[in-house]
Amino acid sequence: MMQFGSRILRVKPLRGIQRQLRDLNTGVLKEGDNEKRVSMVPAVAEKLIKQGYKLHVETGAGAASGISDAAYKAVGCTVGSRNKIIADSELLFAINPPPAAELPSYSGKMLVAWIGRRLPEGETYVKAATDAKVTLVDTTAVPRITIAQKMDVLSSQAKCAGHRAVLEGAYAFERFYQGEITAAGKYPPSHTMVLGVGVAGLAAMGTSNALGSVVRAWDVRDVSDQVTSMGGKWIKVDFKEDGAGAGGYAKESSAEFQQAQKDTFHKHAKECDIIISTAAIPGRKSPVLIEEYMVKDMKPGSVIIDLAAAGGGNCNVTKPGEKYTTENGVTIIGYTDLAGRMGAQASAMYATNMLHMVTHITGKAGAEAFMPNVNHALAEEKGDIIVKSVVCCKDGEAITAPPPPDPTPVKKKEPKAAKVVEKPDPGKEAMQQSLVVSGSSAMMIGASLGGDPGFMAMLNTFGLAGAAGYQVVWGVQHALHTPLMAVTNAISGLTAAGGLMCMGGGGGAMAQGLAQASVAISAVNIGGGFLVTKRMLDLFRKPGEEDHTVKYLLPAAGLAVAPFALPAAAPTVGTLSGLMSIGAIAGLSSQKTAQFGLALGVSGVTGAMSMTLAGVPASEFGTALALIGGGGAVGMGIGKSVSPMALPQTVAAFHALVGAAAVATCLSSYMIHPHAAVGHKVGAMLGNAIGGITLTGSLIAFAKLNGNMGSKPFNLPNKNMLNAGMGAAQLGMLGLFCATDSVGLGTALMYSTTALSSVMGVHLVGSVGGGDMPCCVTVLNSYSGWALVAEGMLLNSPTLTVVGSLIGFSGAILTKIMCDAMNRDIMNVIFGGMATPPPKKDSDGTVEEPKEHRETSVDAVADLLSDSKSVMIVPGYGMAVSQAQRAVADIAQTLKSKDIETRFSIHPVAGRMPGQMNVLLAEAGVPYEWVLEMDEVQDDMPNVDVCLVVGANDITNEAAETDEDCSIYGMPVIKVWEAKNCIFMKRSMAGGYADLENPVFFRETTQMLLGDGKSSCEGIAAALRTKLG
């Protein structure tokens, strides 16, 4: 059986190797002299042997953990020398990796150990293993997903370290831990402060409580509920700033907060007897929480156990690896092997982690499927995420860990009988993979036969830039998807560079007019796109945070001057412009670097425009500057006036400008060079076609999002055949265009392509319903990039090709994310709903009786909220329509001020554009630490007292999980019905964009607050201020 992704394949090994795989020779290595742990214990070894693994243990491997060689032999293991174990084994387990010098002896074998591949030392070791052709598995690299928790060695060893820290502290404290009343006197209990409530911190709390100490704890996250449930007291920093790094956003604590934090720790350090600090950051220096002046004020006999000593320590006077006593009698323990000091327990937990890992890979098939399943997982693009994450190198090639996996699909509560799935044919799959690679290669080779080296050079540039851009875009946070679309939209305004290249090139008045139009239209896009991006990012800036935009834009000034001052540097400026455009996307990976990313985008576009301007004939230079300045001014005027509510339709309108500019440039270039090479012709025709689709498709999207058109799809008869017919006609015209030398026929074909592609754009986007417009907008964003790619190939511009591929892949990835979040097939969205599900009918044709729901009032909701401990707010497009975001922010701030936990849960497709809810809430002043992605809070929903749903329907519809006939079945939704109380705020009981009834409306725990969202939220906010003071 082979498992990869969510699929399980059952395969039968070839007879010749079946016995070999069943008895997979597996070695267990002895650790170094200073390590007490061992990677395998007899109890776990016995289970592995039953699965078909043949266990060979190095002599004395378990001695330091109190496990004799005889104990291993008793369960069926063989014991031998290190050299024999290495020679006889195909799979070897260890905790600490063997010395790098020993790696050549593991060539062709798989070594499983604690590598730390993301750390500098780990990277060096992986390189050595790669050179030695060792298949290296890093046990610390399992992804942070639910299914992998049982394999997480970091957690299991941290638990041991936390427990051992308390024991070391108790030994050094030399007093009673719990309070005692004896004939010899009354003695108070010890007081313990735990800094960092992760796995180690929780373990330390539990053991300290069990020994009778009075525990208090702190963490950068607000985990007060966990601390309280463990019998501890939460330490609160007396400062109005949340220090949590929530929702994937970077934590940025102010200097004032850090000072208040240290004042708080100083106060508690004077009162406590034992401090256990656990705030370690892998690969980075540990944060300093306890400073020397605090230690000097602690009571004599106090103890500090610093679990972060390996990273320098949370206490700045910790000595890593040592235990010593200060002049004022405080014992500081900086041991870096606390887990190893519990050798037997830590070994048992590590070995169990290994058992779970191999069992996950093989399933019930056991050892015979281990190696084949690993190979399949690595070979498959959608192979098992755990295998792909832990394997560092294989067969002399390094393996890059994949990005974090998509959220686990929602499962039905009452699954029906599993459908019979046809058993995949591995041979057929191998052939399909081979044919895909062969076909792609053949197409590339075929393209080179056209005899146009310039075109092939651009194609190579496109492929390399696309690969780089593909990796960069995946790093962008969901909350920054709206700024991402805005900044890529602005960068796609580099279609202006194409127009500039055509200016002064001849071709007649029409050609020059089209070139000038392209420049002016594109300049609108550049000015408006960058200003809109800047406004959105400013919304996420914290109060009082300094804006460094002027400093960030210094490279732009240099790139603007360089092509004129140093003409020979123009190609280098083009290269830098492409790199900066890629850097602009990378900068949007976090709130901290987003402003710098925007500045890089501005610098990249400035350099590309300046480089192109330097090549414009002197007679056209003044005209070009006027067109750029005028268009840019118009764009900035639009960008300055647009409201966050209107961002989706504004972005769609900007996409239309890119399409229009691409069409104009392609027509102009052909008129100037009617007898160009085939590569030039292909670029002209493709840019024309993609630009036409983008132009009219974006206008339709704008009309639907702006309310100028109805949201329902066109659904014309035989619409799929219409799409196929128009596509075939486009290909036919492309073939004829490349073959003909007639200027008249070529011009007619170009104009025909413009007309036909414009009709296709109307039909493709018009056939998409309003509910799928978020996906459609991202598709159009991608189209604008492909149009720029075509323009780059047309004009032999590597810069345009690089930037266009970046934008194209950016839009494509956003489309994939959106379609997955909406359970939509991407081809259905692109081609106007090829497989629109039929409306659901009652099985017996009867009319269902109306269901009863409960309605509530503003005052009742305010009462419910004021009595809560935990509140979750789920905003939807209805909040945007009613412009209720400021009132919602007022509710959240009022609740927070009274220490009522208040969070926002954001669905990826809430609104009409990726990240729109994040932008609206930021505009209303909601700190981004309060705003979390759906998957971050989904599991906590049962603990929420009140879930307030503001204008959201489809993204909270339970039918997506329970009704297979529902059109949104399988779409991940926010499980608001799991909260103790759910309040829906809507105008009426009508369905959302999907026009589906929501079963949650009729649950016992649900109440409906019907009416205008803004008025209702303002009423709730006012009532809360009155009730809570």
Side-chain angles (χ1 to χ4, degrees):
M1 181 177 70
M2 300 179 186
Q3 178 174 345
F4 52 92
S6 59
R7 297 180 293 164
I8 296 178
L9 307 183
R10 298 181 181 276
V11 296
K12 185 175 181 180
L14 298 176
R15 292 182 180 273
I17 62 172
Q18 188 167 1
R19 180 66 186 172
Q20 176 189 353
L21 292 175
R22 180 178 297 123
D23 292 336
L24 182 61
N25 286 306
T26 304
V28 178
L29 299 175
K30 182 180 179 181
E31 302 296 322
D33 293 337
N34 296 323
E35 178 61 74
K36 293 184 178 180
R37 294 172 294 177
V38 64
S39 59
M40 188 59 56
V41 297
V44 175
E46 186 175 18
K47 295 177 182 178
L48 285 174
I49 291 171
K50 290 179 180 179
Q51 293 185 17
Y53 297 88
K54 192 171 183 181
L55 269 291
H56 308 283
V57 181
E58 183 179 348
T59 301
S65 295
I67 305 172
S68 65
D69 291 343
Y72 286 109
K73 291 178 181 179
V75 297
C77 301
T78 61
V79 178
S81 68
R82 186 178 187 84
N83 290 337
K84 180 171 177 55
I85 297 302
I86 296 173
D88 291 348
S89 302
E90 302 164 71
L91 171 65
L92 294 113
F93 286 105
I95 292 183
N96 298 308
E102 195 178 78
L103 283 174
S105 63
Y106 298 90
S107 180
K109 304 175 186 295
M110 179 179 287
L111 174 63
V112 182
W114 185 299
I115 306 298
R117 65 185 301 179
R118 298 178 181 87
L119 305 181
E121 300 85 353
E123 292 177 357
T124 302
Y125 195 86
V126 171
K127 176 66 169 59
T130 304
D131 294 340
K133 290 184 169 48
V134 178
T135 299
L136 188 64
V137 175
D138 181 9
T139 59
T140 71
V142 293
R144 294 284 176 158
I145 54 178
T146 303
I147 195 174
Q149 288 180 354
K150 57 189 177 183
M151 315 167 208
D152 188 357
V153 297
L154 293 172
S155 295
S156 67
Q157 301 305 293
K159 185 172 183 64
C160 291
H163 179 77
R164 180 68 185 199
V166 178
L167 302 183
E168 295 287 347
Y171 179 77
F173 184 51
E174 298 184 353
R175 292 173 177 82
F176 289 129
Y177 243 57
Q178 67 180 7
E180 296 285 353
I181 300 176
T182 72
K186 179 180 178 181
Y187 302 94
S190 64
H191 287 259
T192 299
M193 176 167 67
V194 177
L195 299 178
V197 189
V199 175
L202 289 171
M205 287 183 61
T207 305
S208 296
N209 266 324
L211 292 178
S213 184
V214 178
V215 180
R216 61 189 77 177
W218 170 89
D219 193 274
V220 68
R221 306 158 297 155
D222 184 357
V223 289
S224 51
D225 286 348
Q226 291 187 48
V227 171
T228 304
S229 68
M230 295 282 290
K233 179 183 177 182
W234 176 248
I235 296 175
K236 184 177 180 181
V237 176
D238 189 17
F239 193 85
K240 293 292 182 181
E241 178 173 299
D242 186 358
Y249 306 115
K251 185 181 81 71
E252 302 174 59
S253 298
S254 65
E256 293 81 3
F257 176 82
Q258 293 179 24
Q259 185 58 50
Q261 185 184 70
K262 290 180 179 180
D263 291 343
T264 301
F265 294 162
H266 189 193
K267 171 180 174 293
H268 286 276
K270 295 176 183 178
E271 302 171 356
C272 290
D273 303 297
I274 300 103
I275 297 177
I276 301 174
S277 63
T278 70
I281 306 174
R284 291 171 56 188
K285 188 179 186 302
S286 302
V288 175
L289 305 178
I290 303 296
E291 299 196 12
E292 186 175 7
Y293 70 87
M294 302 182 196
V295 177
K296 290 180 177 179
D297 285 344
M298 292 179 68
K299 294 178 289 187
S302 299
V303 181
I304 297 175
I305 308 97
D306 195 340
L307 274 72
N314 295 141
C315 176
N316 63 355
V317 291
T318 295
K319 297 179 181 179
E322 297 183 24
K323 171 184 174 181
Y324 77 100
T325 303
T326 65
E327 292 181 358
N328 63 316
V330 177
T331 300
I332 301 179
I333 300 173
Y335 295 151
T336 56
D337 61 342
L338 284 169
R341 289 172 181 259
M342 293 185 63
Q345 185 63 59
S347 298
M349 296 180 77
Y350 187 94
T352 302
N353 292 142
M354 297 302 96
L355 172 65
H356 289 315
M357 181 182 290
V358 299
T359 304
H360 168 80
I361 294 172
T362 65
K364 295 181 180 179
E368 63 179 341
F370 183 82
M371 291 298 185
N373 281 8
V374 169
N375 293 335
H376 269 271
L378 296 176
E380 290 286 336
E381 181 180 353
K382 295 184 178 179
D384 185 85
I385 185 67
I386 295 174
V387 175
K388 283 179 170 288
S389 297
V390 300
V391 178
C392 305
C393 57
K394 186 178 186 297
D395 299 332
E397 294 184 5
I399 296 175
T400 303
D406 293 332
T408 303
V410 180
K411 296 181 180 180
K412 297 179 293 180
K413 287 186 176 180
E414 298 179 0
K416 298 183 179 179
K419 296 180 181 179
V420 178
V421 180
E422 183 180 352
K423 185 184 296 183
D425 182 352
K428 184 178 179 181
E429 289 185 350
M431 179 58 70
Q432 289 175 343
Q433 293 170 355
S434 180
L435 289 175
V436 168
V437 175
S438 300
S440 303
S441 303
M443 289 177 64
M444 294 285 288
I445 294 171
S448 67
L449 298 178
D452 191 342
F455 176 77
M456 286 309 301
M458 290 300 102
L459 195 60
N460 293 338
T461 300
F462 162 72
L464 294 173
Y470 180 85
Q471 296 298 326
V472 170
V473 173
W474 276 112
V476 178
Q477 295 179 0
H478 282 198
L480 293 172
H481 280 168
T482 294
L484 169 65
M485 290 188 66
V487 80
T488 54
N489 195 273
I491 295 173
S492 66
L494 279 177
T495 44
L500 290 172
M501 291 180 189
C502 293
M503 287 181 65
M510 176 64 77
Q512 290 303 300
L514 288 169
Q516 292 174 6
S518 174
V519 174
I521 292 171
S522 302
V524 174
N525 214 50
I526 294 172
F530 280 130
L531 184 56
V532 166
T533 308
K534 173 63 176 166
R535 287 182 60 203
M536 282 190 285
L537 293 180
D538 283 346
L539 295 176
F540 290 101
R541 209 168 64 230
K542 290 186 174 183
E545 187 176 342
E546 189 176 351
D547 186 359
H548 298 290
T549 301
V550 175
K551 298 175 186 175
Y552 288 151
L553 289 176
L554 288 175
L559 291 177
V561 174
F564 297 97
L566 300 169
T572 303
V573 171
T575 301
L576 289 173
S577 297
L579 291 174
M580 287 185 178
S581 296
I582 294 175
I585 307 300
L588 288 171
S589 61
S590 74
Q591 300 284 356
K592 186 176 181 179
T593 59
Q595 294 280 1
F596 181 55
L598 169 61
L600 283 177
V602 174
S603 299
V605 171
T606 300
M609 292 293 290
S610 180
M611 175 193 69
T612 312
L613 262 175
V616 172
S619 59
E620 299 289 337
F621 193 81
T623 303
L625 283 180
L627 292 170
I628 294 171
V634 171
M636 294 186 76
I638 295 171
K640 185 176 181 180
S641 61
V642 65
S643 68
M645 171 62 191
L647 283 174
Q649 51 264 51
T650 303
V651 170
F654 281 152
H655 288 156
L657 296 179
V658 176
V663 169
T665 301
C666 292
L667 290 173
S668 175
S669 181
Y670 176 71
M671 292 176 184
I672 296 170
H673 307 288
H675 299 293
V678 172
H680 184 281
K681 286 188 172 184
V682 171
M685 183 68 87
L686 288 179
N688 189 6
I690 299 171
I693 293 173
T694 306
L695 167 61
T696 56
S698 298
L699 291 175
I700 295 297
F702 172 84
K704 287 196 172 191
L705 292 168
N706 204 46
N708 304 110
M709 287 180 62
S711 63
K712 291 186 177 180
F714 288 170
N715 284 333
L716 298 179
N718 298 315
K719 63 179 181 181
N720 296 332
M721 293 304 297
L722 286 174
N723 290 332
M726 287 188 283
Q730 289 279 21
L731 290 175
M733 287 192 290
L734 174 61
L736 183 58
F737 181 67
C738 292
T740 186
D741 291 326
S742 170
V743 177
L745 178 58
T747 303
L749 288 171
M750 285 292 285
Y751 282 131
S752 298
T753 292
T754 302
L756 183 57
S757 62
S758 298
V759 173
M760 283 188 71
V762 171
H763 185 250
L764 287 172
V765 179
S767 298
V768 176
D772 285 335
M773 272 302 116
C775 295
C776 210
V777 171
T778 58
V779 169
L780 293 167
N781 180 249
S782 183
Y783 285 169
S784 68
W786 305 134
L788 198 57
V789 168
E791 201 170 301
M793 293 182 175
L794 167 71
L795 300 169
N796 197 29
S797 171
T799 302
L800 296 186
T801 304
V802 168
V803 173
S805 63
L806 176 68
I807 296 169
F809 279 110
S810 169
I813 291 171
L814 284 180
T815 303
K816 174 70 166 61
I817 292 171
M818 297 290 282
C819 287
D820 286 349
M822 297 176 71
N823 195 37
R824 294 290 194 268
D825 188 291
I826 190 170
M827 300 307 293
N828 287 356
V829 175
I830 293 174
F831 294 109
M834 292 171 60
T836 304
K840 182 184 176 184
K841 297 181 180 179
D842 216 30
S843 57
D844 58 0
T846 60
V847 178
E848 189 176 5
E849 294 184 3
K851 298 176 182 177
E852 293 185 1
H853 67 274
R854 291 193 302 155
E855 294 190 14
T856 186
S857 65
V858 166
D859 287 336
V861 172
D863 286 337
L864 198 58
L865 291 171
S866 61
D867 292 336
S868 301
K869 292 183 179 179
S870 177
V871 173
M872 188 76 70
I873 301 176
V874 180
Y877 188 58
M879 183 190 77
V881 172
S882 64
Q883 299 184 31
Q885 60 267 27
R886 293 188 181 278
V888 172
D890 196 4
I891 293 172
Q893 288 162 356
T894 302
L895 293 172
K896 278 276 193 179
S897 68
K898 298 302 178 182
D899 294 329
I900 297 174
E901 181 186 44
T902 307
R903 294 168 289 174
F904 290 81
S905 178
I906 306 296
H907 194 281
V909 296
R912 292 293 167 260
M913 190 175 177
Q916 187 185 12
M917 293 298 105
N918 301 79
V919 173
L920 290 174
L921 291 172
E923 183 225 4
V926 176
Y928 55 74
E929 295 93 345
W930 300 2
V931 183
L932 310 176
E933 293 176 23
M934 174 180 77
D935 297 308
E936 294 180 282
V937 293
Q938 193 84 289
D939 293 340
D940 197 36
M941 195 63 78
N943 300 320
V944 172
D945 296 312
V946 179
C947 183
L948 189 63
V949 183
V950 187
N953 189 15
D954 295 340
I955 62 173
T956 63
N957 197 324
E958 189 180 8
E961 288 199 347
T962 59
D963 188 354
E964 288 189 355
D965 297 323
C966 170
S967 62
I968 62 171
Y969 178 71
M971 169 180 168
V973 292
I974 301 175
K975 300 177 183 179
V976 297
W977 60 88
E978 291 186 349
K980 298 171 186 176
N981 294 280
C982 184
I983 307 296
F984 266 91
M985 300 176 62
K986 287 173 55 66
R987 283 187 176 275
S988 68
M989 293 295 293
Y993 259 95
D995 197 22
L996 295 170
E997 183 178 80
N998 191 341
V1000 185
F1001 294 169
F1002 312 104
R1003 280 179 166 264
E1004 285 293 326
T1005 54
T1006 300
Q1007 299 179 62
M1008 307 297 299
L1009 181 59
L1010 304 180
D1012 177 68
K1014 183 178 181 181
S1015 300
S1016 297
C1017 289
E1018 287 175 345
I1020 294 172
L1024 281 173
R1025 285 193 294 270
T1026 301
K1027 296 176 185 298
L1028 297 175

